[in-house]
């Protein structure tokens, strides 16, 4: 007999798990001694362990997995024996952040100085190695340029009042105020 089996072969009540030549003494139907010879080839199934890390999802044998876990897939070896693939999957997740901010003049975002209001998006890597999508809804208010006021006064005009401030000596003075957007501005009085 020439037999090929997967993992094991049962012959005359015995189980064989190794390839080889096996003998069985028996009697013919007429009661004479007879010898059966088994030429056995045993092929084995496989168990294959796969360890994978993915961001958000992982596709395996046509299925999409979005949760960490252990997954199984039954298949056949090239010799036709049952085989089991075991997927040990770790799924990490992307991050999404959106925030609103209002600034005066400009805002540094994604290594770029932004001076125009709008929505801006940047992709960075989060702490677990996946994409992190950052969205900023930006409002940029203008800064009022420095205003220079030149006024010639004589000592007889002292004390001098300008924008509710009283000056008792001649010189250059700077007044700070906030414009209609709340942004810092200044006036230089000479």
């Amino acid at each position: 007999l020439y037999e090929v089996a997967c993992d094991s072969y049962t012959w005359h009540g015995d189980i064989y798990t190794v390839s080889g030549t096996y003998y069985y003494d028996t009697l013919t139907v007429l009661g004479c001694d007879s010898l059966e010879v088994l030429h056995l080839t045993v092929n084995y199934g496989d168990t294959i362990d796969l360890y994978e890390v993915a961001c958000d999802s992982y596709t395996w044998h046509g299925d999409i997995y979005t949760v960490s876990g252990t997954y199984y897939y039954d298949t056949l070896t090239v010799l036709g024996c049952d085989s089991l693939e075991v997927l040990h999957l770790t799924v990490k997740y992307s991050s999404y952040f959106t925030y609103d901010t209002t600034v005066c003049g400009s805002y540094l975002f994604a290594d770029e100085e932004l001076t125009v209001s709008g929505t801006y998006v940047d992709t960075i890597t989060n702490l677990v190695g996946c994409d992190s999508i950052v969205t900023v809804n930006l409002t940029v208010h203008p800064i009022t340029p420095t205003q220079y006021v030149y006024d010639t006064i004589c000592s007889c005009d002292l004390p001098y009042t300008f924008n509710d401030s009283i000056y008792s000596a001649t010189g250059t003075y700077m007044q700070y105020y906030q414009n209609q957007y709340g942004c810092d501005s200044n006036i230089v009085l000479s």
Side-chain angles (χ1 to χ4, degrees), residues 139-160:
T139 302
V140 178
H141 290 305
I143 295 175
T144 304
T146 299
Q147 299 175 34
Y148 293 92
V149 176
Y150 300 98
D151 198 0
T152 304
I153 59 171
C154 67
S155 58
C156 61
D157 292 329
L158 294 175
Y160 180 77

Side-chain angles (χ1 to χ4, degrees), residues 8-186:
S8 67
Y9 184 78
T10 302
W11 186 53
H12 295 291
D14 293 324
I15 298 173
Y16 299 90
T17 59
V18 178
S19 297
T21 302
Y22 300 96
Y23 303 93
Y24 183 75
D25 291 320
T26 187
L27 296 176
T28 65
V29 290
L30 299 175
C32 298
D33 287 338
S34 178
L35 180 65
E36 289 183 23
V37 179
L38 171 64
H39 304 279
L40 178 62
T41 301
V42 177
N43 297 316
Y44 303 98
D46 291 327
T47 297
I48 301 167
D49 285 297
L50 303 170
Y51 295 87
E52 297 291 340
V53 177
C55 288
D56 300 318
S57 67
Y58 184 78
T59 301
W60 186 53
H61 294 293
D63 293 324
I64 298 172
Y65 299 89
T66 59
V67 177
S68 298
T70 302
Y71 301 96
Y72 303 92
Y73 182 77
D74 291 319
T75 185
L76 296 175
T77 66
V78 292
L79 297 174
C81 296
D82 288 339
S83 181
L84 179 65
E85 291 182 20
V86 181
L87 172 64
H88 306 276
L89 179 62
T90 301
V91 177
K92 299 178 179 182
Y93 300 99
S94 297
S95 306
Y96 301 90
F97 300 101
T98 300
Y99 62 97
D100 301 325
T101 191
T102 300
V103 298
C104 295
S106 66
Y107 184 73
L108 186 62
F109 180 73
D111 295 327
E112 182 180 352
E113 187 173 355
L114 305 174
T115 59
V116 177
S117 297
T119 299
Y120 298 90
V121 179
D122 188 26
T123 302
I124 59 175
T125 302
N126 66 16
L127 294 176
V128 296
C130 296
D131 285 344
S132 180
I133 311 299
V134 180
T135 303
V136 60
N137 297 312
L138 178 65
T139 302
V140 178
H141 290 305
I143 295 175
T144 304
T146 299
Q147 299 175 34
Y148 293 92
V149 176
Y150 300 98
D151 198 0
T152 304
I153 59 171
C154 67
S155 58
C156 61
D157 292 329
L158 294 175
Y160 180 77
T161 303
F162 181 79
N163 284 347
D164 298 327
S165 294
I166 299 172
Y167 301 99
S168 57
T170 60
T172 300
Y173 299 95
M174 186 172 290
Q175 291 184 344
Y176 298 97
Y177 69 98
Q178 290 186 336
N179 66 16
Q180 70 266 28
Y181 303 109
C183 298
D184 289 339
S185 298
N186 56 54

